Amino acid sequence: MNQVTKGQKADVTKNRPDIKNLAVKLSWHVKGGGNPAHYEIDSAAFLLTMNGNTRDDRDFVFYNNPAGGNGAVHHSVAHDGDGEKIVIDLARLPQDICRIAFTITIHAAEARGQNFGQIDQIRVAVCNKDTQEVLLEYKVSEQFMVETALVPGELYLHNGAWKFNAIGSGFKGGLEALCNNFGIEVEPDNAAAAPEPLVVNLSKISLLKKKVSVILEKKKLTNVLARVGLVLDISGSMSKLYKGGTVQNLVDRITAVASYFDDDGMLDLWIFDHRFHRLPAVTEKTHEGYIEREILNKAKTGGFKGKIFGRNDEPPVIRDVIGFYTEEQKQRSNLPAFIVFISDGGINKNREIRKLITDAAILPLFWQFIGIGRENYGILEKLDTMEGRVVDNANFFALDDLDRISDEQLYERLLNEFPQWLKEAKLKKILSI
């Protein structure tokens, strides 16, 4: 393996006729124990002609346009969870593409006070995709301060062979600045719909959806349709998580799942303490600021007709969720429902919860319980061994810190038992699809 330094130009395919496909891996790390979930960092590739510009939007390859160059270039999350990967079929590249610039950006960096001064261990590895041989590696050693976009390197064609140029440059302006530099016009998130909408979409949900898609493909769930519901504990001990942004981050992450699974792209949502409340459904267009808008602000103005953040009582909201999907929504959709239920512990109505989940086993509902309070989850911890059900219709796992689990790890655990339930529910005629 060849280690290159900034400004160095290294041969990649010269004297290597065996190399047909390249895989360029880009990775990074948040400094000082910072929370990776708070940073939306993404890589991209710009396929460029002699004039230094893309031919059109399709030659901008990133999370919302994962294939370009007539199918020769593909973008994906690395299967080992370490950064992202861009695969290039050299033979299929259009003849007028002579450079491929690789970029790394931080979404909404300026609004969040983020920059590449908070990121280190930035690495580019160019590999022979077919043999997994690492041909060269470039570790970006520059110390950045205010930059929100990087061009760590590029591949370029020289005398019929591909070479790598270790650029290692950073600048302000994020992905939009990069797009403008390479001849791409960006459609802002809040722009009105154009007659011919551009491929580029920089929304947070689009970024999360690409991570969901990797897990769905892995678990063979890409063609599954399901209603998606989220039930949130809003008892007193959860107050800091609502006010600190943790719950909003969770809503964003589950909205990405609903965008793939749900027939209408909507995430149905409930909150509960000693009472429960149905809230407006969440969509890609309404997720931003949802917790502040629909819960915290309404609570301040008496919108819930009484205080929230009281004691927790699970059975009433479980009954309402069952009624919503099996009675009220029955005529609207015959799809199964995937229900994510968040609890911070202190569960004491074990017998009642057991009966509700056991009785619901004959219904097209799957319950994914997640504990985030590090204490007393009661019957939820025994769901996998709970007897008396036609099928195992529920799963539980606990997280020490919801903010510190990566998106990929969360989706992996979230969707771990759902495929098996779908299979068993179809065998038992609980599902007709």
Side-chain angles (χ1 to χ4, degrees):
M1 179 180 66
N2 184 17
Q3 291 281 352
V4 300
T5 58
K6 182 173 180 177
Q8 185 176 349
K9 296 176 174 61
D11 290 322
V12 177
T13 64
K14 185 178 181 181
N15 301 321
R16 289 293 304 268
D18 58 306
I19 298 176
K20 308 297 183 184
N21 300 283
L22 295 175
V24 179
K25 298 181 179 179
L26 300 104
S27 58
W28 49 83
H29 180 266
V30 178
K31 286 183 180 179
N35 188 349
H38 292 166
Y39 291 78
E40 297 176 50
I41 304 177
D42 188 68
S43 67
F46 292 85
L47 314 186
L48 308 173
T49 60
M50 285 289 292
N51 64 8
N53 286 334
T54 57
R55 298 171 304 175
D56 54 42
D57 299 331
R58 291 170 296 178
D59 285 341
F60 171 33
V61 182
F62 73 128
Y63 58 81
N64 208 37
N65 181 44
N70 299 335
V73 181
H74 291 264
H75 176 284
S76 67
V77 176
H79 287 298
D80 57 8
D82 184 19
E84 300 182 349
K85 179 171 63 176
I86 296 167
V87 173
I88 305 157
D89 183 338
L90 297 174
R92 292 183 63 188
L93 271 175
Q95 291 186 353
D96 51 349
I97 299 299
C98 59
R99 288 175 56 208
I100 304 175
F102 304 101
T103 67
I104 306 173
T105 55
I106 305 175
H107 175 63
E110 293 185 6
R112 297 171 181 172
Q114 298 173 349
N115 56 62
F116 276 101
Q118 300 152 10
I119 309 298
D120 62 7
Q121 298 180 34
I122 300 166
R123 174 178 173 268
V124 182
V126 180
C127 310
N128 182 340
K129 176 183 178 293
D130 299 318
T131 65
Q132 302 301 310
E133 174 192 0
V134 180
L135 304 171
L136 62 87
E137 183 182 71
Y138 172 41
K139 295 179 180 179
V140 181
S141 59
E142 286 67 27
Q143 298 298 313
F144 301 107
M145 297 295 291
V146 298
E147 293 84 349
T148 57
L150 299 181
V151 182
E154 66 175 7
L155 288 170
Y156 67 99
L157 199 57
H158 178 69
N159 292 334
W162 289 93
K163 302 185 72 170
F164 178 79
N165 181 17
I167 297 174
S169 295
F171 52 91
K172 296 183 68 176
L175 185 55
E176 290 188 46
L178 286 173
C179 289
N180 292 333
N181 182 63
F182 294 126
I184 299 286
E185 291 185 5
V186 176
E187 176 188 354
D189 290 345
N190 59 354
E196 296 183 3
L198 295 173
V199 170
V200 182
N201 181 346
L202 308 180
S203 73
K204 178 176 183 179
I205 298 302
S206 293
L207 176 61
L208 290 169
K209 281 169 66 178
K210 66 165 187 173
K211 299 178 180 180
V212 175
S213 69
V214 172
I215 305 302
L216 293 181
E217 183 176 355
K218 178 180 178 181
K219 296 185 179 295
K220 296 180 171 58
L221 292 171
T222 52
N223 295 319
V224 171
L225 289 177
R227 305 295 306 278
V228 182
L230 176 60
V231 184
L232 295 170
D233 185 337
I234 198 166
S235 57
S237 51
M238 290 281 292
S239 176
K240 289 184 179 179
L241 299 183
Y242 278 85
K243 296 173 182 177
T246 296
V247 177
Q248 176 64 59
N249 189 40
L250 176 66
V251 168
D252 296 339
R253 293 159 115 178
I254 306 302
T255 300
V257 177
S259 295
Y260 263 108
F261 272 162
D262 202 282
D263 58 338
D264 56 11
M266 299 174 72
L267 174 65
D268 304 312
L269 199 143
W270 288 258
I271 57 173
F272 77 97
D273 49 9
H274 56 289
R275 303 173 301 162
F276 69 85
H277 305 273
R278 291 187 196 176
L279 299 185
V282 190
T283 68
E284 290 190 52
K285 293 182 178 180
T286 64
H287 77 96
E288 192 169 351
Y290 183 93
I291 294 300
E292 186 75 24
R293 181 177 67 251
E294 299 294 341
I295 297 177
L296 299 180
N297 286 346
K298 284 187 178 180
K300 292 176 183 177
T301 59
F304 294 115
K305 297 180 181 179
K307 293 182 178 180
I308 55 175
F309 298 119
R311 57 180 174 77
N312 57 311
D313 186 8
E314 294 79 14
V317 72
I318 292 175
R319 291 192 194 93
D320 193 66
V321 171
I322 293 172
F324 178 78
Y325 286 118
T326 62
E327 297 175 14
E328 297 177 37
Q329 298 289 308
K330 186 176 182 180
Q331 299 303 317
R332 180 183 167 202
S333 174
N334 64 349
L335 298 177
F338 178 71
I339 303 152
V340 182
F341 196 110
I342 305 297
S343 169
D344 79 338
I347 292 174
N348 53 60
K349 294 191 176 180
N350 293 296
R351 183 177 299 179
E352 198 171 350
I353 294 172
R354 179 196 294 269
K355 184 175 186 340
L356 285 167
I357 299 301
T358 300
D359 291 346
I362 63 172
L363 302 173
L365 310 175
F366 181 80
W367 304 79
Q368 177 58 68
F369 290 90
I370 303 176
I372 59 173
R374 307 184 189 182
E375 60 172 321
N376 184 22
Y377 297 119
I379 189 61
L380 301 186
E381 297 183 88
K382 302 176 183 179
L383 291 174
D384 278 336
T385 59
M386 197 166 70
E387 298 179 350
R389 292 174 293 169
V390 176
V391 295
D392 181 356
N393 63 334
N395 184 41
F396 171 82
F397 63 86
L399 297 174
D400 288 340
D401 190 333
L402 187 58
D403 273 336
R404 287 195 174 274
I405 186 171
S406 70
D407 298 322
E408 293 84 357
Q409 290 172 324
L410 177 63
Y411 293 140
E412 176 76 34
R413 299 189 70 178
L414 193 69
L415 300 168
N416 187 46
E417 292 199 12
F418 187 50
Q420 183 61 30
W421 174 80
L422 286 171
K423 182 178 179 180
E424 293 179 0
K426 289 176 183 177
L427 289 174
K428 297 290 185 179
K429 308 299 183 183
I430 294 170
L431 294 178
S432 59
I433 59 173

